[in-house]
Each structure stands twice: as structure tokens, then as C-alpha cells.
Amino acid sequence: MMSDIRICFVGDSLVAGVGDRTALGWPGRLAARAQAVGWPLTWYNLGIRRETSADIAARWEAECARRLPAGVAAGVVFAFGANDTVLEDGRPRVEPEKSVANLVAFLDTAADRGWHRLVVSPPPNIDPEHNARLAELDARFAAVCAAADVGYLRALEPLSADVVWQREIAAGDGYHPDGAAYERYADLLSPGWNHWFTTAFGVV
Amino acid sequence: MMSDIRICFVGDSLVAGVGDRTALGWPGRLAARAQAVGWPLTWYNLGIRRETSADIAARWEAECARRLPAGVAAGVVFAFGANDTVLEDGRPRVEPEKSVANLVAFLDTAADRGWHRLVVSPPPNIDPEHNARLAELDARFAAVCAAADVGYLRALEPLSADVVWQREIAAGDGYHPDGAAYERYADLLSPGWNHWFTTAFGVV
């Protein structure tokens, strides 16, 4: 069993937990549950509001490298897509082909660094047309991860049918829920997260 | 009242909340309380384990600049010192004069950027000699902040006398407590944090 596990959560506002008045978001909830069972985890939340995969590309490796020194068991969890698929002047902020290429590059770089990898799907928002674009990206991300033998945790479809998620994003800004819905998001991710964590780091 | 307030917490493992199984640390607790009363806060935890003020100097401005875009009301909370005052080969990892110079530079840079500033004192650990060095640095940091008209929130002395803090660091690794002690730390900081927040950002 590894004695010093460090994980960076890399992504956008939905990683940062914007809207969550408990200040945990889903990464904080997964981290708290891991620590509650005694797993030796240090975690860093590197979600930034409004960032696309192109924005993330410009900074994630340097930020993670400072937090994942040699000698620790290291992992990176990626979650993005909502901002890539926002339309500006009729075009996505990042074209799907480029979003996919960015994910491929992130996974390759992390592997080269010796960092374990996990990818989390973006959640739905209040706009059906935006969600349709997200669903296409979600399917492509799933295929990328399958080809790379990296775990991809689905959340878009189950949260689309989740009454707590839907109620809270409607009560918020249409994109960011409050704590109860982030708890639902964490609940959905929990089995896949636990499987990845125990497999990658040898904890039980 | 500002409608979009963003704050970065910059520092070391005691900012990151290492040891806190609730995954909040003191920054998460202060952020949750601010959001509970409706203050429009987005917050980012930029604490990194083992970092001295010299390590922080190499990355804090770039990391904050990505998270504090133009058009938002921005603030930076600095907290460091425990690692500067660790002895290696009989010398502090960072000499006190250099720690002070780093703090001065951080405050100047933040002011130039238009970021509101607050400094939080480091907490005590289990080693009396280390705490004596920390107390000297604490006094110098307080003087720097007074001269710069920046708030400096004391925590070293009150936490030295706090039974929860002392019990939890002793039960841990001697430096990092669990959640109940981070709650005490947040409680101590709360009045000064609230004063700074309401004054800097015009919220009530």
C-alpha cells in the first residue's frame, strides 16, 4: 500500500465547485470519503471558472508538477467540456476535434509523467441544445478513454434524470448547483473513483 | 456591493488542509461561511505541501492571475512560514530576512495587480524550538503588514494555548491536525476575515 498519495483534480468551475455553499464540490466530497476510510490522500483542486480544454492545456502540467513531486504516488483526474461546447458567434469555443485532441494530449503527458489518470464526464446544464453538444463530446471522450485504457466516469446521462441536480441548477444560474446536487454527482462517481483509487494505489 | 468576488488562498500544507478528513481546512470553512450568508464568492485553494516562501514566489502570481481575471473583485490571502523555519543542516530553509523580503514582494505585486490582500499567521506545531523561530517570524510579518496597512491575522499564540489544536497535532504528525482543530483555526480567523471581506468588497 502506498503511504503518500497525491491527486490533482483538473478542470473548470464544475470541478472548483462553484455554487456549492458547503465549499466541497464533488472533489472535496470524494477526498473526504477517501480520508474517512484512512487512505493517505493529499488532494488539490485545480478547477478554474470559464476554462476550456485549451485554457487548461496552457497550465495544467506546470500546476500539477509542483504538487506531484517525485517519490509520491500521483494521480490526475480530468473533468471539462461545458465551456468547450459554449457557442460564441455561432461556433463552439473549442471545436470537438480540438477538445478530443486536448484530452488525448493530457492523457499522454500524464502517462509520460508517471501520473495515474481518470476522466470524469461533464454534467448537464439547463440548455437542451448545449446538452446535445455535450452528449456528442461525452461519447467521444468515452471512446478516447477506452482506447487509452483509462477510466471514464459517466455523469451526463444520470444527472440529466436526477431531480436534485435539475432542481438545483434551475434554482441557480442554470449551470452550477448547490451542495446537495454536488453530493449526487459525487455519489454517482463514487464506485468508479473507488475502483480506480484502489487499483491504481493498492489501497483497500 | 460587488457581485463577483474571487479569492485565492496562497500558502503551504496548512492552507491546503493536510490532515483534515473533512477536506475543508480553514480556507474551506471561511469560504463556506461566506457563501452561507450569501456573499458572491468564488475561492481557490493554492496551498502546496512543503513549500517555503521561496517556492511560493516562483508560482503564486501566475496561478492567481489565471484565477483572478479582469472585471472581478479580487483578493489574495497569504499564509506561510512553517516550512521557511524548518532547519536543514542547521540553517532555516529560508532565512528570516528572505522570508520577510518575500512577503514584502508578494504584497507589492498584489497591490500592483489590484488584488486586495490579507495575511494569516502560521499555526504552532509540536516542536518548541521550531515554534520559537516561528514566533520571531510572526512578529516580523506583523510589522511588515502594519507598515503596508494590510491586515495580519494572528493565530500562533492563541492556537498554542488551544487544547483542541494541541491534542490533534500531537495525535497527527506533529504539524497537521484534523478537522476540529482546523475549525478552531477558522474560528480564530473569522472576525478578522469578516472585517477584511466586508471592508474590501463592500458586502454586509
Side-chain angles (χ1 to χ4, degrees):
Chain A
M1 172 170 161
M2 307 304 301
S3 61
D4 188 350
I5 300 166
R6 305 195 190 188
I7 293 176
C8 292
F9 295 88
V10 171
D12 53 25
S13 60
L14 293 152
V15 172
V18 169
D20 186 350
R21 284 179 290 183
T22 69
L24 285 167
W26 60 263
R29 286 177 166 79
L30 294 181
R33 295 177 191 182
Q35 292 170 308
V37 295
W39 295 348
L41 171 65
T42 301
W43 66 290
Y44 297 105
N45 190 322
L46 298 176
I48 302 185
R49 291 187 79 155
R50 211 178 174 277
E51 284 209 340
T52 65
S53 62
D55 299 320
I56 293 166
R59 54 99 184 171
W60 79 274
E61 187 181 0
E63 292 190 351
C64 288
R66 292 200 162 272
R67 290 161 173 84
L68 305 173
V72 308
V76 181
V77 181
F78 298 97
F80 56 87
N83 295 317
D84 288 36
T85 46
V86 165
L87 298 185
E88 286 183 350
D89 300 324
R91 300 299 312 164
R93 288 181 63 200
V94 178
E95 295 287 347
E97 292 69 24
K98 184 60 182 169
S99 299
V100 167
N102 284 331
L103 177 59
V104 169
F106 297 169
L107 296 178
D108 286 349
T109 299
D112 290 344
R113 289 276 198 169
W115 299 334
H116 294 280
R117 305 161 297 170
L118 183 67
V119 182
V120 166
S121 103
N125 57 71
I126 205 79
D127 176 357
E129 293 182 9
H130 191 173
N131 286 330
R133 294 190 298 276
L134 265 181
E136 288 184 29
L137 199 59
D138 183 51
R140 296 182 70 161
F141 283 178
V144 165
C145 290
D149 198 21
V150 170
Y152 184 72
L153 307 187
R154 299 280 191 139
L156 187 66
E157 288 178 20
L159 290 177
S160 298
D162 189 284
V163 292
V164 175
W165 184 272
Q166 294 297 329
R167 184 180 66 226
E168 289 201 351
I169 60 171
D173 60 6
Y175 281 80
H176 303 103
D178 203 342
Y182 278 109
E183 179 92 10
R184 300 286 295 174
Y185 198 173
D187 288 346
L188 276 169
L189 302 176
S190 203
W193 156 265
N194 286 340
H195 174 78
W196 174 70
F197 201 99
T198 54
T199 305
F201 302 113
V203 298
V204 287
Chain B
M1 172 170 161
M2 307 303 301
S3 61
D4 189 348
I5 300 166
R6 306 195 189 187
I7 293 176
C8 292
F9 295 88
V10 171
D12 53 25
S13 60
L14 293 152
V15 172
V18 169
D20 185 351
R21 284 179 290 183
T22 70
L24 285 167
W26 61 263
R29 286 177 167 79
L30 294 181
R33 295 176 192 183
Q35 292 171 307
V37 296
W39 295 347
L41 171 64
T42 302
W43 67 289
Y44 296 105
N45 191 322
L46 297 175
I48 302 184
R49 291 186 80 154
R50 210 176 176 277
E51 284 211 340
T52 65
S53 61
D55 299 319
I56 292 166
R59 53 97 186 173
W60 79 274
E61 186 181 359
E63 291 189 352
C64 288
R66 291 198 162 273
R67 289 161 173 85
L68 305 173
V72 307
V76 182
V77 181
F78 297 97
F80 56 87
N83 295 318
D84 288 36
T85 46
V86 165
L87 297 185
E88 285 184 350
D89 300 325
R91 301 299 312 164
R93 288 181 61 201
V94 178
E95 295 287 349
E97 291 69 25
K98 184 61 183 167
S99 300
V100 167
N102 284 331
L103 177 58
V104 169
F106 298 170
L107 296 178
D108 286 348
T109 298
D112 290 344
R113 288 275 198 170
W115 299 335
H116 293 281
R117 305 160 296 171
L118 184 67
V119 182
V120 166
S121 103
N125 57 71
I126 206 77
D127 176 358
E129 294 182 9
H130 191 173
N131 286 329
R133 294 190 298 277
L134 265 182
E136 289 183 29
L137 199 58
D138 183 50
R140 297 182 70 160
F141 282 180
V144 165
C145 290
D149 198 22
V150 169
Y152 185 72
L153 307 188
R154 300 280 192 140
L156 187 66
E157 288 179 21
L159 290 177
S160 297
D162 188 285
V163 293
V164 175
W165 184 271
Q166 294 298 328
R167 184 180 66 227
E168 289 201 350
I169 61 171
D173 60 8
Y175 282 80
H176 303 103
D178 203 342
Y182 278 109
E183 179 92 10
R184 299 287 294 173
Y185 198 173
D187 289 345
L188 277 169
L189 302 176
S190 203
W193 156 264
N194 287 339
H195 174 77
W196 174 72
F197 200 100
T198 54
T199 305
F201 302 113
V203 299
V204 286

